[in-house]
Amino acid sequence: MVANKHFDLTVKSPGRINLIGEHIDYNGGHVLPAAINLNITIRFKKKEGNVCHVNSKVRNGFKFNIHEKLKPKSNNHWANYVLGVIHGILKLRPKQLSAFDCEIESDLPIGSGISSSAALECGITFGLNSLFNLNLSKLEQIKIAQKAEHDFVGTKCGIMDQFAVYMGQEKKVILLNCETLKYELLDANIDPYNIVLLNTNVEHKLASSEYNNRRKECERAMEIIKSKYTDYHHLAEVPIDVIKTLENELDELVLKRAAYVSEEEKRTINASIVLQNGDIIKFGELMYASHDGLSNKYDVSCPELDFLVDYSKKHNSVIGSRMMGGGFGGCTINLIHEDYIQSYIKSISVAYKDRFNLELSSFKVSLSKGVSLIN
Ligand code: GLA
């Protein structure tokens, strides 16, 4: 990486966790994410001409012409996250971008459910907004980043990740209503427990296609619910009792998905209340219940994630554990007593290696501010 002084500006863009409310954002409910202290760092420099170079410490760099129509590259190329946001910015500010170079480095593990993708999209959007004085609002930038993932990457993600990357604050979790985008910053008083991520180091190839399938299954549920109950607009707001009345109309799989969404929304609201009341033990129980739903009703877990959550149930030092993010691999999020973190990681790593012949990685995370400029 070239020294700082050769660049015009540097952006630090964090990953995110989600305490509870998984696969709820695109169903119009509530989620409880936060930005964390693992980041992608991106340095930008304006230049003459048309050709932009994007270099990365961990992946092959690429170049593109800023004045030619941008299209997604084939083969899941990571360039699509970058090209997608530039495409989105050019739609809103067609004349204000010119050539630039950027360099990317990261301490965020890729494909681990900590949203390295949103960190990259948001970091590029935020950096270009500053570099070219584009005057895009935060919400416009969040939506550009989300749309890049829809149109250039092909994952029809919700808004949680990009929102958390922009709006995160130190020591706070975000209670976000994904329908209205109203949010509250809540204190995360979880002492003496710490948030620890355990990375299965498994990245499932089907994650994106299965993600889009879940979204379609939820849309299918909603079509049928709306045809009977015209007052409901989003799956997350439909009470479980109403869903149960549709047992004969919804096919079995769609019924399971809908039940999960309704129950997870309720758990998330409860979790935000017990967190504010300081009942962290109850909060942990809700995390376990969330995992159970994700694994058995929403079917987005995998044997490695289930193993880690099951293992934690036998240890009193862990009061809550569940898979986090889209699923099919990636991390579990765990609330572990501060005195037992090292010993617990040691024992679960040995057990995980014995069972799957895979290394487990771990990160103790703190809640941090969202995407920002650094000197
Ligand atoms: C991914 C998506 C988010 C969200 C989570 C699951 O991280 O990008 O929008 O749907 O999965 O909660």
Side-chain angles (χ1 to χ4, degrees), residues 16 18 21-26 31 113 115 117 146 149 155-162 211 324-327:
R16 66 98 189 90
N18 184 28
E22 215 65 88
H23 285 272
I24 289 298
D25 55 355
Y26 56 85
V31 293
S115 215
S117 52
Q146 182 195 17
E149 197 142 337
T155 306
K156 305 287 179 198
C157 65
I159 203 161
M160 170 174 79
D161 302 350
Q162 293 80 7
Y211 185 94
M324 188 180 74

Side-chain angles (χ1 to χ4, degrees), residues 262-333:
S262 173
E263 288 163 354
E264 178 76 349
E265 167 70 358
K266 200 162 166 218
R267 277 190 288 269
T268 307
I269 299 295
N270 278 344
S272 70
I273 295 168
V274 300
L275 182 67
Q276 292 172 86
N277 293 341
D279 188 353
I280 192 67
I281 299 293
K282 178 71 191 161
F283 191 94
E285 286 167 10
L286 291 165
M287 288 174 72
Y288 278 121
S290 167
H291 184 81
D292 189 51
L294 286 159
S295 181
N296 297 311
K297 289 188 175 153
Y298 217 63
D299 293 318
V300 289
S301 188
C302 64
E304 293 84 354
L305 289 165
D306 288 343
F307 175 85
L308 296 180
V309 173
D310 285 343
Y311 189 88
S312 75
K313 288 181 182 159
K314 292 174 242 143
H315 293 77
N316 292 339
S317 52
V318 187
I319 55 161
S321 176
R322 60 175 205 84
M323 57 148 278
M324 188 180 74
F328 305 104
C331 288
T332 57
I333 177 167

Side-chain angles (χ1 to χ4, degrees), residues 221-222 224-225 229 232 234-250 254-263:
M222 211 44 219
I224 294 175
I225 292 166
Y229 301 95
Y232 295 119
H234 310 289
L235 189 52
E237 69 180 342
V238 185
I240 189 70
D241 294 346
V242 171
I243 290 171
K244 283 185 180 154
T245 65
L246 296 167
E247 267 167 8
N248 297 328
E249 278 87 350
L250 296 174
V254 171
L255 187 71
K256 260 186 9 166
R257 308 298 192 234
Y260 163 76
V261 170
S262 173
E263 288 163 354

Side-chain angles (χ1 to χ4, degrees), residues 100-152:
F100 67 92
D101 286 342
C102 69
E103 290 204 3
I104 302 170
E105 65 179 310
S106 173
D107 57 18
L108 260 183
I110 294 167
S112 308
I114 319 176
S115 215
S116 55
S117 52
L120 177 58
E121 294 150 8
C122 295
I124 297 281
T125 310
F126 186 86
L128 294 179
N129 185 58
S130 309
L131 191 65
F132 294 103
N133 295 315
L134 302 179
N135 224 2
L136 292 162
S137 71
K138 275 192 176 178
L139 206 52
E140 282 174 319
Q141 295 177 54
I142 288 169
K143 289 188 172 167
I144 286 171
Q146 182 195 17
K147 198 159 176 356
E149 197 142 337
H150 286 200
D151 297 348
F152 271 62

